[in-house]
Amino acid sequence: MFAVIKAGGKQYRVVAEDVIRIDRQAGEPGDVIEFGEVLLVGGDNPQVGAPTVSGATVAGVVLSHERGDKVIAFKKRRRKNSRRKRGFRHEFSVIRITEILTDGKKPSKTPPERPKRVAKPKPEAAEGAEGEKKAAKKPAARKKAAKSAA
């Protein structure tokens, strides 16, 4: 199931366990926030809002607050000995979507436990390929040939 939410004047397509970077939101890292403006809920039976889906909310947990790269606004008026330099860094919140709720359900106050990742087993064929790489020609042989031709 996915949802399209509106936050900070922008729209985001989100799925559970997605990590998104949106405009700064109120709350400390670890807090659960909810997005009430859900424009669309997709899945087996999609619901399109007019303008929002009634009873649908998306919950997420704040991971951190970050600042973007510096944008410099430099203005110069030539031959007037006038110039202005101003920097700006946009503030973002990194949020992990925890759940997409419908039918008026409320999100839990504490974030649910994340599923544990299972490490993939390493294939046995990779060991044989390493030996073949060592047998390749060395680049030093080309330099000697170039010197003798000159």
Side-chain angles (χ1 to χ4, degrees):
M1 178 187 304
F2 71 93
V4 176
I5 62 171
K6 186 176 180 183
K10 300 177 188 77
Q11 296 177 6
Y12 300 92
R13 181 190 184 274
V14 295
V15 182
E17 295 301 318
D18 266 359
V19 176
I20 59 173
R21 193 174 134 191
I22 62 175
D23 290 340
R24 177 82 183 235
Q25 297 289 315
E28 296 298 318
D31 289 350
V32 175
I33 60 171
E34 66 179 81
F35 300 97
E37 290 187 273
V38 180
L39 305 175
L40 179 134
V41 176
D44 296 334
N45 51 354
Q47 301 173 0
V48 179
T52 60
V53 178
S54 61
T57 57
V58 173
V61 62
V62 177
L63 298 179
S64 65
H65 296 295
E66 297 179 351
R67 297 178 76 191
D69 296 334
K70 182 176 274 194
V71 178
I72 297 182
F74 184 77
K75 295 182 180 180
K76 179 178 168 77
R77 295 167 194 91
R78 59 189 189 150
R79 296 185 300 272
K80 304 275 193 291
N81 196 20
S82 170
R83 60 185 181 185
R84 294 288 175 262
K85 182 178 178 182
R86 190 176 132 197
F88 173 76
R89 292 182 71 182
H90 197 77
E91 295 187 348
F92 296 101
S93 294
V94 179
I95 296 176
R96 185 179 74 238
I97 303 299
T98 55
E99 49 194 348
I100 299 171
L101 303 164
T102 56
D103 301 329
K105 296 178 185 173
K106 294 292 178 185
S108 59
K109 298 293 180 194
T110 59
E113 290 293 321
R114 294 190 65 202
K116 300 292 182 191
R117 285 187 169 183
V118 178
K120 294 181 182 178
K122 294 185 178 180
E124 297 292 328
E127 293 176 9
E130 291 176 7
E132 294 174 9
K133 290 180 182 176
K134 292 180 181 177
K137 285 187 177 181
K138 297 179 181 178
R142 288 189 215 156
K143 290 181 181 178
K144 289 180 183 177
K147 288 181 180 178
S148 63

